[in-house]
Amino acid sequence: MVGVSGVEILSRLLNMADAKYLQEAVGPALTAGLASVAAVQPEDPVDYLAHWLLKYLAVEEQKILAVKAKEHAEREKQNVEADEQTKIHEQGDNARRLHACKESLSKETTVDKLYNSLIETLRKETEAENVYVALLEQRDAPEGAPPEAEEEAVPPPEGWSVEEGRWTNVPEGEEPPAPWVPPKIMPRVPTYCALKYKYANRENAWLRGKEILSPALSKGLDTVCFHAVNERKSILVANVLESDPALIFHGMPMPGSFAVCPLLASENDKYLEGQVLGLICIDTLNSSAYLSEKDLDVLQDLRSTVSATHEKLIREAKERLEEEQAAASRLLNEESVVPDENKPAAEDGIDELQTKLAFANDLVKKVKDMIGERMPVERKDEHGHELSEITTFEEGSVAHRVVACVESLVKVSQGDSYLSDMADALSKFDLLGVDQELLDECRAKLNPEGQEPVTKETEMPFTAKLLVALVLIVLELGDAAVKVMGLCSARR
């Protein structure tokens, strides 16, 4: 390096840098182009090389575009897969959430709780602003209108005797076919009926009690709701203002969406699935949201659970009512009945009367125990009764007369502690504590002049039947009790 100036060293370094740049930037293309020139040996090698380099550049650009397109397609594929995964997760979340909703609905213990829970569920799981439920009620035919058509029974096949329950045309010695079973039929929608709104979200509380009449009761008025009933299918009206038939909400059209889904009873021994119990309705009236097929799917997904739970709760309520009726019948006709041999007679002396009244007091105790068990001051469970029900009877009704009679017997009057006083007085009541004045007052209140006398067969609520069992025993044996007390006083 001796004798080399700094300018020369710098020039060499620059030349080296230039050479490196050229080698990396144009080396591969130029080398390949020169190789092509050498192979072809054109007449004008410079022009040939120039065109070759332009073609080379175009090819390289296509390669770059192809790589970019591949990368873009790969990204799109990943995005689609991610979206599908997100959708799958959302569907899974929705399915799990709806499954939990159905589980919760199926565990409701009263019809009121079922539908109030359904309303809250649909407001969370759909775009609905309003949710309401109408139940189908059959009505009488209007005066002069043809009666409700009767269901046509399926005639038995030839040879089957309905009365005998067997085939009558089987030759002797041959095995008869299987017994004939009438085929199940599709339940018919009553001609004369109404959809009565029973449940609604709080903002639509005014809707409860209103009803939509069937075409036969509304001069042929065509409604979307009765379309859903008669066709047993769900309907979505994306834009209410474009509905056909027109959707009128109690006298006026309103913008928004509306969807309706019929509640259908399950199959039973006689009918196929399809008896209409009522309708679930949702809408977005007076809001900016609109309902979609997704919202309708939620309605239909919940429908079977709601219908089945509705039927179960109605069946259980019927069973409870039948049990109460049977219990009241046993109490009135068996458990509180004084046998003939224990009924006081005119010729009975004090000893015989006391013995018979002791038996009667045992009956009174049984009745009091049943009243305390079945009608406590505080309800034991949501399906049971409580003593406060006696304050709800309509004035002048048979049940109200029974309560007035009991108030006289146990000497309790209305007041702040009425229910606790009544429960305490009933538990302490003794047949031997009655007097003639009390008996006369009791008879006058139970059977006022001009009123139908109260008997064991008189129709009244279950709680009133418990009380009337006590009243009837007292009125039957009270005179004997007064006589015993008089005789005891005379002995002293």
Side-chain angles (χ1 to χ4, degrees), residues 331-332 336 364 367-368 371 398-410 426 429 431 434 438-439 441-447 454-456 460 463-478:
L331 178 66
L332 288 165
S336 65
V364 169
V367 175
K368 292 193 303 179
I371 291 173
V398 171
H400 188 268
R401 285 156 50 189
V402 170
V403 173
C405 181
V406 172
E407 289 173 348
S408 295
L409 282 178
V410 299
L426 279 169
F429 176 75
L431 181 60
V434 301
L438 188 148
L439 287 175
E441 180 183 348
C442 183
R443 287 190 176 102
K445 287 186 175 180
L446 183 66
N447 297 313
V454 176
T455 68
K456 294 177 181 180
M460 65 187 81
T463 47
K465 286 186 177 182
L466 299 181
L467 295 176
V468 85
L470 175 64
V471 170
L472 294 177
I473 292 176
V474 173
L475 294 183
E476 182 180 7
L477 301 172

Side-chain angles (χ1 to χ4, degrees), residues 277-341:
L277 303 172
L279 296 180
I280 310 170
C281 308
I282 61 176
D283 71 52
T284 61
L285 303 185
N286 289 332
S287 76
S288 58
Y290 280 88
L291 300 175
S292 66
E293 291 290 341
K294 179 181 176 182
D295 299 309
L296 194 63
D297 289 343
V298 172
L299 269 181
Q300 295 181 133
D301 197 12
L302 295 177
R303 170 177 59 188
S304 58
T305 298
V306 174
S307 298
T309 306
H310 174 110
E311 289 184 281
K312 181 193 73 170
L313 294 174
I314 294 298
R315 185 170 58 252
E316 290 174 351
K318 183 180 177 182
E319 290 170 355
R320 286 193 297 272
L321 180 61
E322 289 173 348
E323 187 278 329
E324 288 179 353
Q325 290 172 338
S329 178
R330 286 195 304 273
L331 178 66
L332 288 165
N333 298 302
E334 298 174 23
E335 297 168 2
S336 65
V337 173
V338 180
D340 289 340
E341 64 270 19

Side-chain angles (χ1 to χ4, degrees), residues 417-467:
S417 58
Y418 172 71
L419 293 177
S420 58
D421 290 346
M422 175 67 81
D424 184 58
L426 279 169
S427 67
K428 295 176 180 177
F429 176 75
D430 190 324
L431 181 60
L432 294 175
V434 301
D435 55 39
Q436 192 60 52
E437 182 181 353
L438 188 148
L439 287 175
D440 292 341
E441 180 183 348
C442 183
R443 287 190 176 102
K445 287 186 175 180
L446 183 66
N447 297 313
E449 188 176 348
Q451 299 289 330
E452 191 74 23
V454 176
T455 68
K456 294 177 181 180
E457 288 73 35
T458 303
E459 284 298 319
M460 65 187 81
F462 175 69
T463 47
K465 286 186 177 182
L466 299 181
L467 295 176

